Amino acid sequence: MVITLLREGVLFGGSLAASRKIHQRLMESITHAQFRFFDITPLGQIMNRFSKDVEQVDQEIAPVAVGVIHCMASILTVVVLISVITPGFLIAGVFISALYFIIGKFYINSSRDLKRLESVQRTPLYQLFGETLSGMTTIRAYGDERRFLRDNLNRVNTHSRPFIYLWAANRWLAFRVDVTGALVSFFTGVFVLLSVGRIDAGAAGLAMTYAVTFTENVLWFVRLYSANEQNMNSVERIKEFIDVEQEAKPIIPENRPAANWPSKGSVEFIGYSTRYRKDFDFVLKHLTFKILPGEKVGIVGRTGAGKSSLALALFRALEAEEGKILVDDVDIGLIGLQDLRENIVMVPQG
């Protein structure tokens, strides 16, 4: 009893510690992600990672893993017991094991992909719900409530469809495992009858009793193993966000500016070029100009000319592809982001 409690405590304690560390790394990764990540990632995806995916890592991985271990131990115990009492069962056991392997592999691959589809379809549902709440006054002003209700119900149906297919696959598995499990009981009975007079009646009854429970153990083993694979989808999705591109370090000790920087306020662009993504065109191309301390400069242009991009470049929300920016003769590309953003101020355009 004490050993069991210690084992469970260590397993669940380790699970919680790992979950806490994964959540911490995910939070740090998102809060330090480059600005472009938030431009191309819907809010629903971020909510999905921090809600359902983190919940599965917190609550489902450890219990399911324990269930897999228990079912595997029960299966091995039954197989060893039947094989010791009726050694001829090993011949049929090879073919039965092959059937179980084929059924389990087909089910696991299908259920894992269906779980991925279910996880992906959850994001548009969250996104539409959030957008509807934000624009509630506009929706009511135009009397368009019915359309948003209809869109929400359609997305609920789209989200539920993989879940229904997942349970249909579960029923598919249960039927085939029951049929294959019946072969275990059948061949155990056959070899018990062939061994009449050579084995003890009590041992024969014990073998038959465990053969009947074998089907349920195998069914739950495949189900739990598949559930463990499905839960790993959440870990995979969280890792995708942990590995997003990060901003530069907040503080670079060897390149810290003076305490009173910037004291004058001169700004100089030298051959500066930048873009929002590697596969996009440049939004600022080979800019070279200098603003002297105390000068007032107005930047005008049509929509899309690069006015906002110029401001983002000063805060290094967009990193330089070519050239550099000097503020009071300090290259802002070489200092930490905290030192940069704490010491300069921007008034947004009206």
Side-chain angles (χ1 to χ4, degrees):
M1 186 66 173
V2 176
I3 296 176
T4 302
L5 289 175
L6 287 175
R7 185 184 67 226
E8 299 293 331
V10 170
L11 183 60
F12 281 94
S15 173
L16 288 175
S19 177
R20 189 181 301 114
K21 186 174 293 185
I22 288 173
H23 182 269
Q24 181 180 356
R25 288 185 59 187
L26 177 62
M27 180 64 75
E28 291 175 353
S29 178
I30 296 299
T31 53
H32 292 92
Q34 294 185 358
F35 283 11
R36 72 187 69 176
F37 168 77
F38 300 98
D39 292 333
I40 62 176
T41 306
L43 181 61
Q45 284 191 16
I46 301 175
M47 289 177 57
N48 199 2
R49 297 303 194 280
F50 278 98
S51 56
K52 185 64 176 178
D53 289 328
V54 171
E55 178 196 356
Q56 287 189 320
V57 174
D58 285 343
Q59 299 183 9
E60 297 187 19
I61 289 182
V64 170
V66 171
V68 170
I69 295 171
H70 286 175
C71 287
M72 173 60 78
S74 299
I75 290 170
L76 291 177
T77 301
V78 173
V79 170
V80 170
L81 179 67
I82 296 174
S83 300
V84 169
I85 297 173
T86 56
F89 176 78
L90 291 174
I91 300 173
V94 173
F95 298 100
I96 294 173
S97 299
L99 278 176
Y100 274 128
F101 178 78
I102 293 170
I103 293 170
K105 186 174 180 59
F106 188 81
Y107 170 76
I108 289 170
N109 291 339
S110 303
S111 61
R112 184 171 55 228
D113 289 338
L114 285 170
K115 189 67 175 181
R116 283 199 181 101
L117 287 174
E118 183 195 3
S119 300
V120 169
Q121 293 300 333
R122 196 181 300 118
T123 296
L125 182 61
Y126 288 169
Q127 185 178 352
L128 177 67
F129 188 73
E131 291 174 353
T132 303
L133 291 180
S134 300
M136 186 65 70
T137 53
T138 305
I139 295 169
R140 287 178 176 173
Y142 283 92
D144 216 9
E145 297 95 333
R146 293 181 63 85
R147 179 167 68 87
F148 278 84
L149 283 172
R150 187 169 59 252
D151 288 347
N152 185 70
L153 290 175
N154 286 336
R155 296 201 184 190
V156 169
N157 288 338
T158 303
H159 168 255
S160 301
R161 195 173 294 122
F163 180 77
I164 293 171
Y165 291 154
L166 193 60
W167 277 99
N170 203 341
R171 295 297 89 205
W172 179 94
L173 172 71
F175 175 73
R176 281 153 182 80
V177 168
D178 284 344
V179 172
T180 309
L183 294 177
V184 176
S185 302
F186 172 75
F187 281 107
T188 302
V190 167
F191 287 109
V192 165
L193 291 175
L194 292 176
S195 304
V196 171
R198 295 196 300 271
I199 63 173
D200 182 68
L206 184 65
M208 289 298 302
T209 302
Y210 276 94
V212 172
T213 64
F214 182 79
T215 302
E216 184 178 355
N217 288 328
V218 172
L219 176 61
W220 278 106
F221 173 74
V222 177
R223 281 182 179 172
L224 292 175
Y225 185 83
S226 175
N228 194 55
E229 291 276 336
Q230 294 168 19
N231 292 333
M232 288 299 110
N233 286 340
S234 296
V235 179
E236 180 184 36
R237 286 159 57 82
I238 290 174
K239 186 178 184 303
E240 179 187 356
F241 272 36
I242 289 177
D243 294 337
V244 298
E245 285 189 89
Q246 301 288 289
E247 289 188 314
K249 294 181 180 179
I251 294 176
I252 301 176
E254 60 272 17
N255 285 327
R256 301 204 69 178
N260 63 342
W261 177 87
S263 57
K264 300 176 182 177
S266 67
V267 179
E268 184 177 4
F269 282 68
I270 303 175
Y272 185 85
S273 300
T274 189
R275 53 188 166 187
Y276 284 89
R277 283 168 51 185
K278 296 292 184 183
D279 53 340
F280 282 9
D281 294 332
F282 286 111
V283 291
L284 299 174
K285 301 178 184 178
H286 309 297
L287 285 181
T288 300
F289 64 90
K290 184 173 184 179
I291 302 174
L292 298 176
E295 281 189 324
K296 295 181 179 179
V297 178
I299 301 173
V300 297
R302 61 179 175 78
T303 301
K307 304 184 295 299
S308 299
S309 300
L310 197 65
L312 292 175
L314 284 170
F315 286 88
R316 286 177 63 190
L318 296 176
E319 295 286 358
E321 295 283 340
E322 299 173 4
K324 57 185 178 179
I325 302 174
L326 303 181
V327 175
D328 278 2
D329 299 323
V330 174
D331 186 352
I332 66 172
L334 300 178
I335 65 176
L337 291 182
Q338 182 175 330
D339 288 331
L340 171 65
R341 292 170 181 172
E342 285 183 348
N343 290 288
I344 63 175
V345 179
M346 180 183 72
V347 179
Q349 59 185 359

